[in-house]
Amino acid sequence: GKTLYTFDKDAASESRCFDGCAAAWPPFMAGEGAQAKDKLTLVARKGGGMQWAFDGKPLYYFAGDAQPGDTSGDGSGGVWHAVKLGVTAKRAAAPAQGYNSTTY
């Protein structure tokens, strides 16, 4: 139920958020064997692991969001944006297997 965010400073299909940045904005990591589907894709992270991306934009959580549905990171620094997928509430209650939910 945690909100996912994109970072304007990321390159196409490449994360540029590491170290201190990743402590405040943890990457939405994919589990072993995860497979891309539709606009949800995977990007390799520096140092290993795969991160989920939406339409090529790596996805992150915000450490400052305390509760599911919080969006306190939206607009942060003018470069962080909550992902709005336009998924219905019924689907949000039961996300597809293998995906964690956002405001989705």
Side-chain angles (χ1 to χ4, degrees):
K2 293 265 190 159
T3 301
L4 291 173
Y5 297 88
T6 58
F7 183 41
D8 288 347
K9 294 183 178 183
D10 282 342
S13 299
E14 178 186 345
S15 173
R16 293 192 175 159
C17 180
F18 298 97
D19 304 321
C21 176
W25 299 91
F28 178 27
M29 298 300 290
E32 189 175 326
Q35 295 185 3
K37 182 174 180 175
D38 302 321
K39 289 190 174 202
L40 286 172
T41 58
L42 296 163
V43 297
R45 282 195 59 83
K46 176 177 83 174
M50 298 297 285
Q51 180 177 359
W52 285 110
F54 180 70
D55 209 14
K57 295 181 140 297
L59 296 171
Y60 305 86
Y61 299 108
F62 177 51
D65 285 347
Q67 301 294 321
D70 283 356
T71 58
S72 59
D74 194 23
S76 183
V79 294
W80 290 97
H81 309 285
V83 176
K84 296 168 183 74
L85 299 177
V87 179
T88 66
K90 181 177 180 182
R91 185 165 167 206
Q97 184 178 5
Y99 296 94
N100 288 342
S101 58
T102 70
T103 317
Y104 130 147

